Amino acid sequence: MSSVPEVAQAMSEVLAAGAEQAAAATGLVQRRSKLSGSIFTQTLVFGWLADPDASLCSLTQMAATLGVEISSQALFQRFTPRAAECLRQVLAAAVVEVIAAEPVAIPVLQRFSAVLVQDSSVVMLPDALREIWAGCGGSGSYGQSALKLQVRLDLTTGRMLGPFLDHGRTPDSHSPVQSAPLPPGALRLADLGYYRLDTFREIAQQSGYFLSRYKTGTKLYQCDGAELDLARLLSTPAATSIDQPVLLGSAHRLPVRLLGARVPPEVGAQRRRQLKDQARKKQQQPSKARLALCDWTIYVTNAPVALLNREEALILARARWQIELLFKLWKQRGGIDRWRSANPWRILCEVYAKLVAMVILHWTLLTAVWMYPNRSLVKAAHTVRRYAVMLASAMTGIMALATVIEQIGLCLRAGCRIEGRRQRPSAYQLLLALDDNA
């Protein structure tokens, strides 16, 4: 697992040597300048890490911390297509660094070599950037350009694959994380945007496991080859749960377990209303089969019952929401989808720099709190933000970067936890309770 010195080294390589190489490759810096590629990158990354709404004046103060005096106007003039490409390359260098924490102390997660959740999030951009990042169209000022972030996160060690950047219109099933191999013995959790039988087969061939919501309309067969009528199977009034082996897909016939639990009547009714509303907007009618399935939560998995029983699977499936919380952290606390300018190139530079800041933030959290089940990423992010100036100072050699990261770790471990709840228990409480009930 990665240590504080390894994180400090990765940070230095990405924000110093890596930034200089990117600046030279893109032509951002063509002659000797006080605002080198590394200083420019660190100014934006640490400036917006400290304050996601930082003004140009605040950013010039961060540049001063790094030893360079520059006016707000001079900094503004640096926001060009070359600067944006330089920052994109710095981000690309950051995401390939392998940084992981000690495995979190949750027994159900430790049954697998990794528990990988993957998802995407979209950042809407000005239409002027549609040639760089194409959106899906639509009305409004931000319909033609959008940036999709693809991330895979290991809930056990916190290792993050991504964020990979793609056009906003690109389907999740075509993303880099969709085809990224799994280590043997790993479990993948993903929503229906990544539901592909070919992918499930590849995961099984890699000696991995998947746990996914069942996609309505996928053919199911009994082990003897007879087609299974799911609606009829679930229509039995006395049926409240299901866990049976089936074959998935008319062509693939993948051996899986079909897992399910009946939901409370009010939940089923709410799902039907939402399904009808969505269909109405598309001028469609939902099928009877989809309406009937609203009364159930249905999953498919190739994990054997000895490794993951039905109750454990349905609770573990909720952990997929953790990556949604990561994106929420990036947007609400990291400000990756907001800016204080109408200049498209400054906006793109800001998005890239803030994403680098979020990667740096994540690395810092891994050194100190990821191994604790009751960690609070929101509290931790707030703590790291207060130390952004010290991190920037350490990049100049005033103090050892590893020492600053260690100091941040002490503060993170001291108070960045969440309290247990009796009503609506947190995800970590539900997961820990599985081992208590074993």
Side-chain angles (χ1 to χ4, degrees), residues 133-158:
W133 298 113
C136 298
S139 59
S141 302
Y142 294 89
Q144 300 298 322
S145 180
L147 176 63
K148 179 172 282 191
L149 313 176
Q150 293 281 353
V151 175
R152 176 185 283 178
L153 180 69
D154 180 4
L155 296 181
T156 306
T157 66

mmCIF file of all heavy atoms in Angstrom, residues 133-158:
data_model
loop_
_atom_site.group_PDB
_atom_site.id
_atom_site.type_symbol
_atom_site.label_atom_id
_atom_site.label_comp_id
_atom_site.label_asym_id
_atom_site.label_seq_id
_atom_site.Cartn_x
_atom_site.Cartn_y
_atom_site.Cartn_z
ATOM 1 N N TRP A 133 -15.214 19.156 -26.541
ATOM 2 C CA TRP A 133 -16.024 18.174 -25.833
ATOM 3 C C TRP A 133 -17.478 18.333 -26.283
ATOM 4 O O TRP A 133 -18.126 19.322 -25.949
ATOM 5 C CB TRP A 133 -15.921 18.344 -24.313
ATOM 6 C CG TRP A 133 -14.529 18.154 -23.786
ATOM 7 C CD1 TRP A 133 -13.724 19.087 -23.228
ATOM 8 C CD2 TRP A 133 -13.789 16.930 -23.783
ATOM 9 N NE1 TRP A 133 -12.514 18.539 -22.878
ATOM 10 C CE2 TRP A 133 -12.535 17.205 -23.199
ATOM 11 C CE3 TRP A 133 -14.058 15.625 -24.207
ATOM 12 C CZ2 TRP A 133 -11.549 16.237 -23.035
ATOM 13 C CZ3 TRP A 133 -13.081 14.659 -24.034
ATOM 14 C CH2 TRP A 133 -11.847 14.959 -23.468
ATOM 15 N N ALA A 134 -17.944 17.366 -27.043
ATOM 16 C CA ALA A 134 -19.289 17.450 -27.610
ATOM 17 C C ALA A 134 -20.339 17.006 -26.603
ATOM 18 O O ALA A 134 -20.181 15.991 -25.919
ATOM 19 C CB ALA A 134 -19.385 16.586 -28.868
ATOM 20 N N GLY A 135 -21.403 17.781 -26.518
ATOM 21 C CA GLY A 135 -22.524 17.431 -25.655
ATOM 22 C C GLY A 135 -23.610 16.720 -26.441
ATOM 23 O O GLY A 135 -23.377 16.180 -27.521
ATOM 24 N N CYS A 136 -24.790 16.745 -25.890
ATOM 25 C CA CYS A 136 -25.916 16.040 -26.512
ATOM 26 C C CYS A 136 -26.891 16.977 -27.184
ATOM 27 O O CYS A 136 -27.975 16.560 -27.598
ATOM 28 C CB CYS A 136 -26.655 15.212 -25.447
ATOM 29 S SG CYS A 136 -25.629 13.944 -24.692
ATOM 30 N N GLY A 137 -26.539 18.273 -27.274
ATOM 31 C CA GLY A 137 -27.474 19.222 -27.861
ATOM 32 C C GLY A 137 -28.508 19.655 -26.850
ATOM 33 O O GLY A 137 -28.322 19.527 -25.647
ATOM 34 N N GLY A 138 -29.588 20.182 -27.334
ATOM 35 C CA GLY A 138 -30.638 20.635 -26.433
ATOM 36 C C GLY A 138 -30.652 22.138 -26.338
ATOM 37 O O GLY A 138 -29.836 22.848 -26.931
ATOM 38 N N SER A 139 -31.608 22.648 -25.592
ATOM 39 C CA SER A 139 -31.776 24.088 -25.473
ATOM 40 C C SER A 139 -30.913 24.636 -24.348
ATOM 41 O O SER A 139 -30.344 23.908 -23.545
ATOM 42 C CB SER A 139 -33.248 24.411 -25.198
ATOM 43 O OG SER A 139 -33.680 23.774 -24.009
ATOM 44 N N GLY A 140 -30.833 25.981 -24.289
ATOM 45 C CA GLY A 140 -30.059 26.606 -23.231
ATOM 46 C C GLY A 140 -28.643 26.928 -23.682
ATOM 47 O O GLY A 140 -28.232 26.613 -24.804
ATOM 48 N N SER A 141 -27.896 27.567 -22.792
ATOM 49 C CA SER A 141 -26.553 28.033 -23.129
ATOM 50 C C SER A 141 -25.513 26.925 -23.085
ATOM 51 O O SER A 141 -24.409 27.093 -23.575
ATOM 52 C CB SER A 141 -26.149 29.157 -22.160
ATOM 53 O OG SER A 141 -27.069 30.225 -22.224
ATOM 54 N N TYR A 142 -25.825 25.795 -22.453
ATOM 55 C CA TYR A 142 -24.827 24.756 -22.247
ATOM 56 C C TYR A 142 -25.305 23.414 -22.776
ATOM 57 O O TYR A 142 -25.143 22.396 -22.154
ATOM 58 C CB TYR A 142 -24.481 24.655 -20.754
ATOM 59 C CG TYR A 142 -23.804 25.883 -20.214
ATOM 60 C CD1 TYR A 142 -24.552 26.930 -19.703
ATOM 61 C CD2 TYR A 142 -22.426 26.000 -20.225
ATOM 62 C CE1 TYR A 142 -23.936 28.070 -19.213
ATOM 63 C CE2 TYR A 142 -21.799 27.131 -19.732
ATOM 64 C CZ TYR A 142 -22.565 28.168 -19.226
ATOM 65 O OH TYR A 142 -21.942 29.286 -18.740
ATOM 66 N N GLY A 143 -25.906 23.413 -23.958
ATOM 67 C CA GLY A 143 -26.414 22.164 -24.488
ATOM 68 C C GLY A 143 -25.485 21.462 -25.456
ATOM 69 O O GLY A 143 -25.551 20.247 -25.609
ATOM 70 N N GLN A 144 -24.614 22.203 -26.131
ATOM 71 C CA GLN A 144 -23.811 21.637 -27.201
ATOM 72 C C GLN A 144 -22.480 21.055 -26.737
ATOM 73 O O GLN A 144 -21.857 20.304 -27.468
ATOM 74 C CB GLN A 144 -23.544 22.718 -28.264
ATOM 75 C CG GLN A 144 -24.800 23.283 -28.900
ATOM 76 C CD GLN A 144 -25.591 22.229 -29.641
ATOM 77 O OE1 GLN A 144 -25.012 21.356 -30.284
ATOM 78 N NE2 GLN A 144 -26.912 22.298 -29.553
ATOM 79 N N SER A 145 -22.039 21.417 -25.544
ATOM 80 C CA SER A 145 -20.742 20.945 -25.063
ATOM 81 C C SER A 145 -20.871 20.408 -23.638
ATOM 82 O O SER A 145 -21.504 21.042 -22.781
ATOM 83 C CB SER A 145 -19.704 22.078 -25.090
ATOM 84 O OG SER A 145 -18.452 21.636 -24.626
ATOM 85 N N ALA A 146 -20.282 19.256 -23.407
ATOM 86 C CA ALA A 146 -20.306 18.657 -22.077
ATOM 87 C C ALA A 146 -19.129 17.706 -21.944
ATOM 88 O O ALA A 146 -18.692 17.084 -22.914
ATOM 89 C CB ALA A 146 -21.621 17.929 -21.823
ATOM 90 N N LEU A 147 -18.628 17.597 -20.735
ATOM 91 C CA LEU A 147 -17.507 16.725 -20.419
ATOM 92 C C LEU A 147 -17.996 15.624 -19.493
ATOM 93 O O LEU A 147 -18.607 15.901 -18.465
ATOM 94 C CB LEU A 147 -16.404 17.540 -19.728
ATOM 95 C CG LEU A 147 -15.168 16.798 -19.232
ATOM 96 C CD1 LEU A 147 -14.416 16.163 -20.392
ATOM 97 C CD2 LEU A 147 -14.261 17.753 -18.466
ATOM 98 N N LYS A 148 -17.753 14.375 -19.875
ATOM 99 C CA LYS A 148 -18.152 13.247 -19.035
ATOM 100 C C LYS A 148 -16.929 12.699 -18.317
ATOM 101 O O LYS A 148 -15.886 12.445 -18.928
ATOM 102 C CB LYS A 148 -18.825 12.154 -19.868
ATOM 103 C CG LYS A 148 -19.246 10.943 -19.053
ATOM 104 C CD LYS A 148 -20.090 9.963 -19.864
ATOM 105 C CE LYS A 148 -21.519 10.446 -20.005
ATOM 106 N NZ LYS A 148 -22.404 9.379 -20.566
ATOM 107 N N LEU A 149 -17.062 12.526 -17.010
ATOM 108 C CA LEU A 149 -15.992 11.982 -16.175
ATOM 109 C C LEU A 149 -16.308 10.533 -15.862
ATOM 110 O O LEU A 149 -17.395 10.233 -15.360
ATOM 111 C CB LEU A 149 -15.874 12.762 -14.870
ATOM 112 C CG LEU A 149 -15.873 14.286 -14.971
ATOM 113 C CD1 LEU A 149 -15.851 14.903 -13.587
ATOM 114 C CD2 LEU A 149 -14.689 14.762 -15.795
ATOM 115 N N GLN A 150 -15.395 9.645 -16.145
ATOM 116 C CA GLN A 150 -15.562 8.223 -15.865
ATOM 117 C C GLN A 150 -14.581 7.818 -14.765
ATOM 118 O O GLN A 150 -13.379 8.078 -14.865
ATOM 119 C CB GLN A 150 -15.297 7.388 -17.120
ATOM 120 C CG GLN A 150 -16.324 7.584 -18.226
ATOM 121 C CD GLN A 150 -17.607 6.816 -17.961
ATOM 122 O OE1 GLN A 150 -17.697 6.035 -17.022
ATOM 123 N NE2 GLN A 150 -18.605 7.011 -18.808
ATOM 124 N N VAL A 151 -15.105 7.176 -13.713
ATOM 125 C CA VAL A 151 -14.274 6.810 -12.561
ATOM 126 C C VAL A 151 -14.634 5.408 -12.103
ATOM 127 O O VAL A 151 -15.806 5.017 -12.079
ATOM 128 C CB VAL A 151 -14.486 7.799 -11.394
ATOM 129 C CG1 VAL A 151 -13.712 7.342 -10.153
ATOM 130 C CG2 VAL A 151 -14.057 9.203 -11.788
ATOM 131 N N ARG A 152 -13.608 4.647 -11.734
ATOM 132 C CA ARG A 152 -13.786 3.373 -11.037
ATOM 133 C C ARG A 152 -13.050 3.483 -9.704
ATOM 134 O O ARG A 152 -11.884 3.887 -9.671
ATOM 135 C CB ARG A 152 -13.238 2.200 -11.861
ATOM 136 C CG ARG A 152 -13.327 0.864 -11.114
ATOM 137 C CD ARG A 152 -12.662 -0.257 -11.892
ATOM 138 N NE ARG A 152 -13.495 -0.716 -12.995
ATOM 139 C CZ ARG A 152 -13.113 -1.677 -13.847
ATOM 140 N NH1 ARG A 152 -11.922 -2.249 -13.713
ATOM 141 N NH2 ARG A 152 -13.918 -2.049 -14.826
ATOM 142 N N LEU A 153 -13.730 3.142 -8.628
ATOM 143 C CA LEU A 153 -13.188 3.304 -7.280
ATOM 144 C C LEU A 153 -13.228 1.984 -6.538
ATOM 145 O O LEU A 153 -14.259 1.306 -6.511
ATOM 146 C CB LEU A 153 -14.014 4.348 -6.523
ATOM 147 C CG LEU A 153 -13.604 4.656 -5.078
ATOM 148 C CD1 LEU A 153 -12.259 5.376 -5.051
ATOM 149 C CD2 LEU A 153 -14.673 5.508 -4.398
ATOM 150 N N ASP A 154 -12.115 1.616 -5.928
ATOM 151 C CA ASP A 154 -12.046 0.415 -5.107
ATOM 152 C C ASP A 154 -12.445 0.788 -3.680
ATOM 153 O O ASP A 154 -11.743 1.542 -3.001
ATOM 154 C CB ASP A 154 -10.622 -0.169 -5.130
ATOM 155 C CG ASP A 154 -10.496 -1.442 -4.290
ATOM 156 O OD1 ASP A 154 -11.519 -1.913 -3.756
ATOM 157 O OD2 ASP A 154 -9.369 -1.960 -4.190
ATOM 158 N N LEU A 155 -13.579 0.266 -3.219
ATOM 159 C CA LEU A 155 -14.061 0.592 -1.885
ATOM 160 C C LEU A 155 -13.172 0.020 -0.796
ATOM 161 O O LEU A 155 -13.226 0.463 0.349
ATOM 162 C CB LEU A 155 -15.489 0.064 -1.700
ATOM 163 C CG LEU A 155 -16.556 0.674 -2.605
ATOM 164 C CD1 LEU A 155 -17.917 0.076 -2.281
ATOM 165 C CD2 LEU A 155 -16.593 2.185 -2.473
ATOM 166 N N THR A 156 -12.348 -0.965 -1.126
ATOM 167 C CA THR A 156 -11.486 -1.596 -0.124
ATOM 168 C C THR A 156 -10.245 -0.760 0.162
ATOM 169 O O THR A 156 -9.941 -0.454 1.316
ATOM 170 C CB THR A 156 -11.072 -3.003 -0.580
ATOM 171 O OG1 THR A 156 -12.242 -3.758 -0.893
ATOM 172 C CG2 THR A 156 -10.306 -3.719 0.515
ATOM 173 N N THR A 157 -9.522 -0.360 -0.872
ATOM 174 C CA THR A 157 -8.262 0.376 -0.694
ATOM 175 C C THR A 157 -8.349 1.839 -1.120
ATOM 176 O O THR A 157 -7.399 2.587 -0.915
ATOM 177 C CB THR A 157 -7.134 -0.273 -1.508
ATOM 178 O OG1 THR A 157 -7.431 -0.146 -2.917
ATOM 179 C CG2 THR A 157 -6.979 -1.743 -1.154
ATOM 180 N N GLY A 158 -9.467 2.236 -1.730
ATOM 181 C CA GLY A 158 -9.596 3.611 -2.181
ATOM 182 C C GLY A 158 -8.887 3.917 -3.479
ATOM 183 O O GLY A 158 -8.928 5.053 -3.965
#
